[in-house]
Amino acid sequence: MSERSERVGGHGVRVLIADDQEIVRTGLSMILDAQPDIEVVATAADGRRAVELARRLRPDVCLFDIRMPGTDGIEATRSLAGPDVADPLAVVVITTFDLDEYVYAALRAGARGFLLKNAGADMLAQAVHAAAGGEALIAPSVTARLLGAFARTGPASSPAQPVEALTYREEQILAAVARGRTNVEISAELHISLSTVKTHVASLMAKLGARNRVEIAIWAYETGRVRS
C-alpha cells in the first residue's frame, strides 16, 4: 500500500495520519483536507513510519489507528507522547470498536483523544482542533463508559494524591473535564470566564501531575470522583 508523500509548509492545523488500510487513510485525508484550516502533511501505513515522520515533520496533531502491523498505535503514541517524552506531540487515536481495551492503553500512553472511525467529518475535525488546542475530545458515546469501566479494574498502582487539596471549583471542573466537556462548555455551564476555566485546568494539571486533560479524566475515574 502506498503512503502519501509529506508536504512542507501550508497553513492551519498540520495533521499526520497513520492507518494500515489505504482506503481509510485516503478517506480521512479527504475529510480533513476539505476543512479550510486543516492540512494533512503526511500519511503512513504503520506505526514505525508514522513515528519517523512525526519526529521529522512535528505535525500539530497525529491521528493514529490503534491496530497496525509492527509498531501499533499504542506503541507509536507512547513513543511520541508518553511519560518520558520531553516535548510530546498531540495524538488522537481512532478505532472501529468502542469497547476496546487498547483504547484505554492508548490514552494511558499519552493520547489526547479517542474517536470511532464512523464518527463523521464534523466530529473528526473537532477532535483535531481540540487536540491542537491542548484539549481532549473522546467520542461522547463512550467517554464515561470506557474510562469508568477500565478505572473499575483498578490502576497498576494507587492513584497519586494531589500535591495540594483541590478547591471546590477545581472539583467541579475536574468532573466536567472527566465527562469530556471543553473549556467553552465548562465556561457556559459554571458561568465563569474562559480564562478562569483555563487557569483552573492548569492548576489541576499541576496538582495532579497530569500532562493533559485525558490524564485528569483518568485520575477522576480512578479515584471515584466521577462515576460512569
Side-chain angles (χ1 to χ4, degrees):
M1 298 294 182
S2 62
E3 295 179 8
R4 174 177 178 164
S5 298
E6 60 266 27
R7 302 207 304 256
V8 180
H11 61 281
V13 180
R14 301 168 65 251
V15 179
L16 166 68
I17 295 172
D19 194 294
D20 61 332
Q21 298 183 50
E22 185 172 12
I23 190 171
V24 174
R25 295 197 304 275
T26 301
L28 292 173
S29 296
M30 290 177 64
I31 290 171
L32 293 178
D33 269 337
Q35 302 294 320
D37 50 1
I38 296 177
E39 178 189 14
V40 178
V41 294
T43 65
D46 60 71
R48 182 191 60 78
R49 178 62 173 159
V51 171
E52 291 175 355
L53 287 170
R55 285 175 173 165
R56 177 153 56 87
L57 298 175
R58 301 295 298 180
D60 299 305
V61 178
C62 299
L63 188 63
F64 290 167
D65 183 22
I66 287 182
R67 292 191 176 104
M68 291 186 287
T71 301
D72 63 17
I74 297 171
E75 291 182 59
T77 298
R78 188 176 295 111
S79 296
L80 298 171
D84 299 327
V85 179
D87 189 15
L89 291 171
V91 179
V92 175
V93 295
I94 53 175
T95 183
T96 304
F97 307 103
D98 66 353
L99 279 180
D100 191 332
E101 66 272 19
Y102 295 119
V103 175
Y104 188 71
L107 297 179
R108 272 294 193 188
R112 282 192 195 168
F114 155 63
L115 284 178
L116 300 179
K117 288 185 179 179
N118 63 356
D122 290 343
M123 187 67 70
L124 182 62
Q126 287 179 41
V128 167
H129 282 299
E135 298 196 24
L137 193 154
I138 302 174
S141 63
V142 298
T143 301
R145 188 175 79 241
L146 179 74
L147 289 175
F150 286 100
R152 283 193 296 272
T153 67
S157 58
S158 298
Q161 294 302 306
V163 296
E164 184 181 337
L166 304 187
T167 66
Y168 174 71
R169 182 65 86 185
E170 286 170 347
E171 291 279 4
Q172 287 183 306
I173 291 177
L174 173 75
V177 169
R179 293 190 173 96
R181 302 292 192 269
T182 66
N183 284 350
V184 172
E185 291 170 336
I186 295 172
S187 172
E189 288 178 6
L190 299 183
H191 306 290
I192 57 179
S193 70
L194 188 58
S195 62
T196 299
V197 175
K198 292 179 179 178
T199 298
H200 284 307
V201 170
S203 178
L204 279 171
M205 285 193 275
K207 288 183 176 182
L208 303 180
R211 299 192 311 156
N212 55 53
R213 297 166 76 94
V214 169
E215 290 184 1
I216 291 176
I218 291 173
W219 187 88
Y221 280 102
E222 288 181 340
T223 56
R225 280 170 164 79
V226 176
R227 300 184 185 279
S228 56

